[in-house]
């Protein structure tokens, strides 16, 4: 069941890329109060995504099975959907 962990790691890396792009999109308004808040929130989510990638890799190496990977996959898919919507909004 290692493929479920690879899917989780891939989704987490895609989220990290999208969040990095969001930070870049907000740099134009970075000196305003709203811009600082948006950059801060995006940065926190970016760090969280990177840490989750590392955690998922560790869990995969420890041999955690589908009983852990499958619920996380469902959560990651919902997270990816939400972050993708936020990214699309940040482009406006």
């Amino acid at each position: 069941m290692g493929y479920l962990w690879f899917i989780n790691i891939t989704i987490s890396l895609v989220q990290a890329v999208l969040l990095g792009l969001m930070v870049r999109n907000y740099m134009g308004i970075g000196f305003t109060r709203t811009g600082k808040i948006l950059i801060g929130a995006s940065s926190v989510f970016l760090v969280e995504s990177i840490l989750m990638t590392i955690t998922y890799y560790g869990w995969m190496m420890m041999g955690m099975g589908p009983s852990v990977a499958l619920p996380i996959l469902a959560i990651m898919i919902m997270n990816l959907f939400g972050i993708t919507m936020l990214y699309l909004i940040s482009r406006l």
Side-chain angles (χ1 to χ4, degrees), residues 2-69:
Y3 70 92
L4 290 174
W5 287 115
F6 285 116
I7 294 170
N8 282 328
I9 291 170
T10 302
I11 290 173
S12 185
L13 290 172
V14 168
Q15 286 180 4
V17 169
L18 286 174
L19 288 162
L21 292 172
M22 282 174 57
V23 169
R24 186 195 65 181
N25 289 345
Y26 292 136
M27 285 299 187
I29 60 169
F31 297 107
T32 65
R33 179 182 168 163
T34 304
K36 289 178 185 176
I37 292 170
L38 291 172
I39 289 173
S42 297
S43 298
V44 167
F45 285 126
L46 177 60
V47 170
E48 179 263 341
S49 184
I50 292 168
L51 290 176
M52 289 314 298
T53 301
I54 295 167
T55 303
Y56 294 158
Y57 181 76
W59 288 349
M60 181 178 68
M61 291 294 118
M62 286 193 290
M64 298 267 184
S67 61
V68 176

Side-chain angles (χ1 to χ4, degrees), residues 58-80:
W59 288 349
M60 181 178 68
M61 291 294 118
M62 286 193 290
M64 298 267 184
S67 61
V68 176
L70 201 55
I72 290 174
L73 180 60
I75 294 167
M76 291 301 293
I77 290 170
M78 288 184 282
N79 282 345
L80 181 61

